[in-house]
Amino acid sequence: MKFPRTPHLPGSKGTDDDIMLDSFHLDGDVVSTEKMDGSNITLASDAFYTRSGNTPNMEWTVPARKIWEQVFWQLPDSMQVAGELLTWRKSIAYESLPAEFLVFSVIDEGEVLGWDDTIEIASSLGLCTVPLIARGAFSDVVALSKASMHEGKEGFVIRPAQTFSFVEYGENVAKFVGAHHNPVAGNNGRNTFVGG
């Protein structure tokens, strides 16, 4: 499963190959969650996948494989759980994260499930979700999320609170990366986690 790239909100810091939006708006109840500085991993019943859709057998994927082995047998064939693997430190040094893998989406039968269902399913699997920043009307949530930015945060991701079609991901999800963020692809050691 190849996970789609998330387009950037206007004003977000991006790179030459990013999708930069001129405008973006969502109606109804929306949520923003913290954009974590890690590696996009999707867990499915048959395997785990990086954002590019492959399952490399490399040292950095060992923690992802261990997490997958703990949950794959609980996943229906129709369901995928997407999240951020945070074992390895990139640009941001995280201290005392709740877990090495934080869920940001659950996809089932071609639908990205609502945020409340995402929290419930993650919890039933013994997994944690990415931190929620704000929930409510689009303009209020964007303003609160931008106000929460600091050097210890990469940015935020905004999406409908309700279920939407996975094929319409690019019309329903957008991210904002702070101007202070300088991404690195390499491994700068390990992040630290609660209880370990």
Side-chain angles (χ1 to χ4, degrees), residues 73-116:
W73 55 275
Q74 300 175 73
L75 297 175
D77 290 345
S78 62
M79 182 178 287
Q80 298 86 38
V81 176
E84 204 76 3
L85 180 66
L86 295 156
T87 307
W88 310 112
R89 183 171 292 174
K90 292 187 171 184
S91 299
I92 297 174
Y94 293 113
E95 304 293 340
S96 301
L97 287 167
E100 291 183 73
F101 180 77
L102 299 182
V103 175
F104 55 73
S105 290
V106 175
I107 302 103
D108 193 19
E109 296 186 352
E111 301 285 316
V112 179
L113 300 185
W115 183 245
D116 294 334

Side-chain angles (χ1 to χ4, degrees), residues 5-107:
R5 298 195 72 169
T6 303
H8 285 255
L9 287 167
S12 174
K13 180 179 181 180
T15 59
D16 292 341
D17 62 341
D18 279 333
I19 304 165
M20 309 302 290
L21 299 173
D22 293 325
S23 64
F24 185 81
H25 181 81
L26 294 171
D27 294 322
D29 190 21
V30 303
V31 296
S32 71
T33 56
E34 185 172 346
K35 185 178 185 322
M36 307 302 294
D37 189 21
S39 300
N40 181 317
I41 299 289
T42 299
L43 310 176
S45 61
D46 62 340
F48 70 92
Y49 304 95
T50 62
R51 194 189 66 75
S52 60
N54 60 20
T55 307
N57 187 18
M58 302 170 68
E59 183 181 355
W60 76 267
T61 64
V62 169
R65 181 170 296 282
K66 288 180 180 176
I67 294 161
W68 173 75
E69 288 173 349
Q70 293 169 12
V71 302
F72 79 91
W73 55 275
Q74 300 175 73
L75 297 175
D77 290 345
S78 62
M79 182 178 287
Q80 298 86 38
V81 176
E84 204 76 3
L85 180 66
L86 295 156
T87 307
W88 310 112
R89 183 171 292 174
K90 292 187 171 184
S91 299
I92 297 174
Y94 293 113
E95 304 293 340
S96 301
L97 287 167
E100 291 183 73
F101 180 77
L102 299 182
V103 175
F104 55 73
S105 290
V106 175
I107 302 103

